[in-house]
Amino acid sequence: MSKVNKSPSYPFASGGWGSLKSVTTILAQEKVALKDSTILLKQNKPDGFMCVSCSWAKPADPHTFEFCESGAKATAWDTTAKRMTPEFFELNTVTSLLNWHDHDLEEAGRLTAPMKYDAATDRYTEVSWEEAFREIGRELGALDPESVVFYASGRASLETSYMYQLFARMYGCNNLPDSSNMCHESTSVGLKEAIGVGVGTITLEDFEKTDLMFFFGQNVGTNSPRMLHQLQDARKRGVPIITFNPLREPGLVSFANPQSPVQMLTPAETQISTQYHQVKTGGDTAAILGMCKAVIEADDRAKAQGLPRVIDVAFVDEHTTGFDEFAACARATDWSEIERVSGLTRAALLDAAGEYMRANAVMAHYGMGLTQHRLGVQNVRMLTNLLLLRGNIGKPGAGPSPVRGHSNVQGQRTVGITEKPELAPLDQLAKQFSFEPPRKKGLNTVEAFEAMVKGNVKAVVNLGGNLVRSVPDRLQTEPAWARLRLTVNVATKLNRSHLVHGEVSYVLPCLSRIEIHRTPLGDQAVSMEDSTGCMHGSRGAAEPASEKARPEPFIVAGIAKATLGERSSVDWDAWRDDYSLVRGEIATTYPDIFHDFNERMWQPGGFHRPLPARHREWKTKSGKAEFLTPHSLGEDPDMPEKVPEALRLMTLRSDSQFNTTIYKIEDRFRGVKDTRMVILMNKADIEKRRLHEGQKVTLQTIADDGIDRRLEGLKIKAYEIPEGCIGGYYPECNVLLPLWHYAKESKVPGAKSIPVRIVQ
Ligand SMILES: Nc1nc2c(c(=O)[nH]1)N[C@H]1C(S)=C(S)[C@@H](COP(=O)(O)OP(=O)(O)OC[C@H]3O[C@@H](n4cnc5c(=O)[nH]c(N)nc54)[C@H](O)[C@@H]3O)O[C@H]1N2
Ligand SMILES: Nc1nc2c(c(=O)[nH]1)N[C@H]1C(S)=C(S)[C@@H](COP(=O)(O)OP(=O)(O)OC[C@H]3O[C@@H](n4cnc5c(=O)[nH]c(N)nc54)[C@H](O)[C@@H]3O)O[C@H]1N2
Ligand SMILES: [Mo]
């Protein structure tokens, strides 16, 4: 087994003492009392609360400490002792708060009371819940429902999300974008077309049966660290892991388990990746096609020589369509072209393909490195092609594994948060609640902002999120947001999207699910779906952040009741106080997935939703799993071939960040401290341009739409990254990302390959 060298920027194992130190620092920073830190022991336990950080699977037999560094930070962030009270808003005008850093806004503490913007004083001032609901209801009542957008960020529970989508549809639109529109929508579209389900097909048990794992563009050490436990166990069984990532991410190189005394006391650590391929950004289709070519040509040779076949011929014949055309394309593509686009050598790709051909059951994990590209859907389809060649879908230990983002982003879709009417059970909802749901397609996130820039969206209701920071093209989208008539924000903490407000604007403080949801009928529990399609109950453990903050179902029910009045057959007050009633309705709407929901939600390890592709039933157009022949090798149509100074910018998450929430200004794993205004750049690219490390430069987007997109003051850091590619941080770099630079089929912004140049 070859040794994969560590990144010079972080020559240690991920996890380990660095991780423990980082956890204790944030507990102190947030003044989380030791008593409260025992809350961490309830994290991801069958009778405890489900972590608010990532969506990785929650095992039936958890470790004593079933949390990771990132999860502990997320918990500390929510259970902080700091508060942002009405007095805080008295002291700070909204204009002055616009100068605060994202970190400082959230670090100031939890929101404690419902607030309304007052233009006369330029301040948010306290209002009662009744008044807030009444006025929001009146405002929404005066608007055309098609001009209102209901965004969901991915944290809210299945119960809240179901109520939210029902409210939006009863109100009169399908404008239900969610964070998935900027994230794994390329998966929802690509996997659905290819295998008939828009989600991954693997479960935790598959880790025990797999022979090989691929990792494409997912940064496990930071973004789903608990998954390292499964990876470590598989590595101990000798399972190889082959990674494709432009950066050598420490979590993908090696891991010392901070919860394993042996590994903490001795320098022992587990090597994670056995092969590491630093593919060029946007080069994955080419790299995967190279591996497919190797498999197909090896199979051609085996067939000619009468040897056992390399391709799973029985599977391909019985279960798939489109193989011949795809195989012809793979055979006809030149290695020189594959090498040029992927930035990898033929020998390296043959090594990876060789391992693939030796393995019987293969899993393919992937993340934003595949989905956030102009050709993001094609990337997902190419990875599926590779799996299909050897029957690696619908058998134990094998399958696609999109590692999801927000902790309930997958679940929100499952219970109807979608702008696509064909994905929601509208006939059933019509019958169940005696109303006529709108049938017109709604707006996804990019479309909502396109319409907002044109002045066609008048109001946005936000169930979490910070869209002004998370969407592309900040210089166009932020002013459009400020022109809205109404912004309603259900949130735990203040962020910039609340400050760049509409004419009428509310910030409504909600409880996190770590807190106890008390209602007149007793303490209520919620539920969510993890990345592997398992549903889990979650019971809050901490005292509510404030007397006046409310659980999300309370807030959604309050707005719905005030807006819909007599128009709605739903007893919103009853749902607000008894979430089991909502679960009952979810079970009626989706009996296949949620039958006996109230009883099954406490099953250790969760209950699994049925996924036809897991037993080789293909709910696709053709009724088979579909190979896709790629249109091009991964060339981004926006990447100007003829501009020699062009660079591809990928926007990254740091350590100590959850999306737009910045816990600390530091990226320990990449050796970046005290600033986020950095670009990671190859030494050769620095020298070619006569620049030097530490120099501050300006990036400019290469686009011919007449808009000058620039970001100044970025410090150059020499980094091991393929030539022609650079890395910068999200959300800081979002000014550079054009709104139209998205994957055609999914509209996921191409945040991992923005065409830019350096200007001085
Ligand atoms: N602690 C923490 N956890 C999180 C989040 C967080 O911000 N902080 N965010 C949550 C959310 S919403 C999401 S969606 C997930 C995101 O988790 P990831 O899917 O890991 O997303 P990113 O951090 O954006 O980074 C993706 C990785 O892709 C690599 N990459 C970039 N371009 C390419 C490419 O063209 N090809 C390949 N092969 N690789 C590429 C980058 O080097 C990086 O390692 O994490 C979730 N979990
Ligand atoms: N350039 C670039 N842009 C990107 C990405 C990228 O990689 N690069 N990634 C994209 C991805 S994958 C995603 S998912 C989006 C995320 O985009 P968003 O959904 O817009 O952003 P978040 O940062 O997840 O939202 C943070 C806010 O949610 C609120 N919040 C936190 N917890 C709760 C809760 O329990 N309930 C409620 N109601 N509110 C809560 C807090 O007020 C907090 O400020 O960004 C996308 N944008
Ligand atoms: Mo995400």
Side-chain angles (χ1 to χ4, degrees):
M1 182 185 75
S2 59
K3 180 111 176 82
V4 173
N5 290 332
K6 289 179 178 146
S7 162
S9 303
Y10 192 77
F12 314 106
S14 66
W17 289 115
S19 172
L20 270 193
K21 183 164 161 252
S22 188
V23 169
T24 41
T25 310
I26 192 146
L27 289 175
Q29 176 189 317
E30 295 311 310
K31 302 193 166 60
V32 176
L34 207 55
K35 164 174 80 62
D36 293 335
S37 66
T38 59
I39 282 183
L40 286 170
L41 296 174
K42 300 205 171 144
Q43 193 147 326
N44 299 322
K45 294 296 166 53
D47 61 341
F49 68 92
M50 294 297 130
C51 180
V52 296
S53 189
C54 81
S55 57
W56 185 242
K58 283 82 184 170
D61 48 350
H63 301 245
T64 317
F65 303 100
E66 188 62 42
F67 61 87
C68 65
E69 176 183 341
S70 300
K73 284 179 184 166
T75 300
W77 205 244
D78 276 6
T79 54
T80 177
K82 301 178 185 175
R83 295 290 176 268
M84 190 180 262
T85 58
E87 292 72 49
F88 170 90
F89 289 99
E90 258 170 51
L91 291 172
N92 295 286
T93 62
V94 166
T95 307
S96 71
L97 290 170
L98 280 168
N99 296 321
W100 285 36
H101 190 278
D102 296 317
H103 165 81
D104 299 334
L105 287 174
E106 290 208 28
E107 171 66 15
R110 290 285 300 273
L111 292 158
T112 60
M115 309 297 291
K116 180 191 176 186
Y117 181 67
D118 174 26
T121 59
D122 186 32
R123 283 176 173 80
Y124 272 102
T125 54
E126 186 174 351
V127 282
S128 69
W129 282 103
E130 296 69 36
E131 201 184 329
F133 292 152
R134 207 178 322 116
E135 186 173 343
I136 294 167
R138 198 171 57 229
E139 283 285 330
L140 289 175
L143 289 167
D144 171 1
E146 286 185 14
S147 71
V148 181
V149 169
F150 295 87
Y151 177 74
S153 165
R155 249 184 214 191
S157 63
L158 292 169
E159 293 80 355
T160 307
S161 306
Y162 181 82
M163 291 167 70
Y164 194 62
Q165 61 83 32
L166 185 63
F167 161 50
R169 294 195 161 104
M170 287 184 159
Y171 172 63
C173 70
N174 283 308
N175 293 340
L176 284 157
D178 71 354
S179 61
S180 161
N181 290 147
M182 297 181 268
C183 182
H184 265 296
E185 190 68 32
S186 300
T187 294
S188 310
V189 172
L191 283 187
K192 179 90 181 84
E193 285 168 356
I195 61 168
V197 292
V199 298
T201 64
I202 60 125
T203 65
L204 282 182
E205 294 87 74
D206 287 314
F207 282 84
E208 291 155 26
K209 297 177 184 138
T210 193
D211 299 324
L212 170 70
M213 291 188 236
F214 280 113
F215 249 95
F216 279 89
Q218 205 274 338
N219 187 9
V220 60
T222 297
N223 296 332
S224 51
R226 285 184 303 104
M227 187 181 184
L228 283 165
H229 294 299
Q230 280 82 38
L231 300 184
Q232 191 180 34
D233 291 347
R235 286 289 306 116
K236 285 185 182 151
R237 287 198 296 114
V239 173
I241 298 181
I242 303 180
T243 295
F244 288 80
N245 195 311
L247 305 181
R248 234 170 322 130
E249 304 281 29
L252 287 160
V253 176
S254 68
F255 175 53
N257 187 345
Q259 294 154 10
S260 155
V262 179
Q263 294 203 14
M264 293 300 284
L265 293 173
T266 64
E269 58 190 55
T270 309
Q271 178 181 348
I272 297 292
S273 298
T274 49
Q275 286 186 26
Y276 209 112
H277 302 286
Q278 288 185 261
V279 64
K280 278 191 190 169
T281 51
D284 299 273
T285 282
I288 301 168
L289 188 66
M291 286 191 278
C292 292
K293 181 179 172 73
V295 173
I296 290 164
E297 291 181 353
D299 184 69
D300 289 344
R301 287 191 297 275
K303 190 175 169 190
Q305 294 166 11
L307 294 171
R309 297 289 294 269
V310 178
I311 287 173
D312 184 341
V313 181
F315 174 83
V316 170
D317 286 349
E318 187 187 340
H319 287 287
T320 71
T321 64
F323 170 75
D324 290 340
E325 193 191 338
F326 172 66
C329 163
R331 289 188 194 102
T333 309
D334 280 345
W335 275 110
S336 59
E337 196 53 10
I338 292 172
E339 289 187 326
R340 185 182 69 81
V341 181
S342 68
L344 300 171
T345 62
R346 175 180 179 171
L349 291 170
L350 289 179
D351 267 357
E355 287 272 21
Y356 179 62
M357 289 185 263
R358 283 189 289 278
N360 285 321
V362 179
M363 287 158 97
H365 309 293
Y366 68 92
M368 299 300 99
L370 285 198
T371 62
Q372 291 180 331
H373 282 287
R374 280 288 251 167
L375 301 177
V377 176
Q378 179 174 296
N379 283 340
V380 172
R381 295 291 303 266
M382 285 302 298
L383 191 55
T384 321
N385 285 347
L386 179 65
L387 293 173
L388 289 176
L389 284 178
R390 288 179 45 84
N392 276 311
I393 302 185
K395 73 179 176 195
S401 162
V403 184
R404 292 275 167 170
H406 263 296
S407 51
N408 194 34
V409 64
Q410 188 164 314
Q412 296 199 325
R413 271 291 151 79
T414 304
V415 296
I417 298 230
T418 170
E419 77 285 356
K420 293 176 182 160
E422 69 277 15
L423 297 185
L426 297 184
D427 292 337
Q428 172 60 33
L429 291 177
K431 203 165 72 188
Q432 203 170 331
F433 298 105
S434 319
F435 78 114
E436 193 36 61
R439 305 277 164 169
K440 191 174 150 195
K441 187 190 164 298
L443 301 170
N444 61 30
T445 305
V446 162
E447 289 161 352
F449 277 84
E450 286 169 341
M452 201 183 297
V453 170
K454 287 192 196 130
N456 296 335
V457 163
K458 306 286 183 212
V460 181
V461 181
N462 297 292
L463 187 57
N466 183 5
L467 287 172
V468 157
R469 294 301 272 142
S470 59
V471 300
D473 243 342
R474 176 162 165 213
L475 297 182
Q476 274 60 250
T477 48
E478 200 175 284
W481 186 268
R483 291 192 294 270
L484 291 168
R485 165 68 190 171
L486 174 71
T487 45
V488 178
N489 306 287
V490 181
T492 47
K493 291 198 171 179
L494 190 71
N495 64 46
R496 188 168 178 90
S497 302
H498 312 152
L499 300 170
V500 183
H501 53 84
E503 202 176 336
V504 177
S505 181
Y506 285 88
V507 175
L508 306 175
C510 68
L511 300 185
S512 140
R513 68 168 167 274
I514 302 173
E515 292 151 82
I516 302 165
H517 288 203
R518 290 197 179 97
T519 77
L521 296 180
D523 296 352
Q524 302 295 312
V526 294
S527 55
M528 38 266 326
E529 175 176 347
D530 71 28
S531 209
T532 63
C534 284
M535 314 293 166
H536 306 262
S538 174
R539 219 189 293 280
E543 278 303 310
S546 115
E547 257 182 15
K548 289 179 187 161
R550 291 285 180 274
E552 286 168 322
F554 176 99
I555 303 172
V556 174
I559 298 176
K561 191 177 161 191
T563 308
L564 302 172
E566 298 299 308
R567 269 201 285 156
S568 160
S569 61
V570 171
D571 186 346
W572 296 100
D573 291 344
W575 288 14
R576 176 195 65 195
D577 293 341
D578 183 355
Y579 304 175
S580 72
L581 297 176
V582 184
R583 286 188 289 273
E585 300 292 351
I586 296 176
T588 307
T589 310
Y590 305 92
D592 292 351
I593 305 174
F594 289 105
H595 65 87
D596 306 305
F597 191 6
N598 279 307
E599 295 76 55
R600 290 197 300 155
M601 69 188 275
W602 297 113
Q603 199 170 299
F607 66 85
H608 207 267
R609 63 189 265 186
L611 290 172
R614 263 184 83 76
H615 36 267
R616 298 192 167 172
E617 206 186 297
W618 316 103
K619 302 275 186 196
T620 56
K621 275 198 195 120
S622 61
K624 304 232 175 180
E626 300 188 4
F627 279 96
L628 175 82
T629 303
H631 301 298
S632 86
L633 268 199
E635 296 291 14
D636 184 327
D638 298 337
M639 204 62 214
E641 286 277 299
K642 296 203 178 67
V643 183
E645 77 275 19
L647 292 162
R648 267 170 211 235
L649 167 70
M650 58 170 150
T651 54
L652 296 162
R653 291 164 168 74
S654 68
D655 171 50
S656 274
Q657 156 177 12
F658 193 93
N659 296 341
T660 67
T661 296
I662 313 296
Y663 302 129
K664 196 169 173 209
I665 301 183
E666 174 182 68
D667 193 358
R668 197 172 95 236
F669 289 140
R670 301 200 186 101
V672 179
K673 268 199 143 174
D674 301 326
T675 176
R676 296 173 55 84
M677 295 298 282
V678 169
I679 51 172
L680 310 177
M681 200 167 174
N682 185 294
K683 271 209 169 82
D685 280 325
I686 301 178
E687 282 162 17
K688 225 185 314 180
R689 288 170 176 74
R690 306 210 166 149
L691 302 166
H692 56 85
E693 191 159 16
Q695 185 176 345
K696 284 197 175 160
V697 292
T698 298
L699 283 186
Q700 181 189 38
T701 307
I702 304 175
D704 52 11
D705 61 357
I707 299 175
D708 188 8
R709 299 175 181 83
R710 283 169 193 256
L711 185 58
E712 293 173 5
L714 292 159
K715 206 151 113 188
I716 295 177
K717 179 171 169 68
Y719 209 79
E720 260 204 84
I721 178 170
E723 273 183 61
C725 307
I726 57 174
Y729 290 114
Y730 144 66
E732 287 76 1
C733 290
N734 285 31
V735 279
L736 296 167
L737 173 54
L739 192 55
W740 41 260
H741 180 70
Y742 53 68
K744 195 168 92 216
E745 308 89 334
S746 64
K747 294 222 164 167
V748 170
K752 296 293 186 267
S753 53
I754 311 174
V756 293
R757 61 160 73 88
I758 292 181
V759 289
Q760 305 277 342

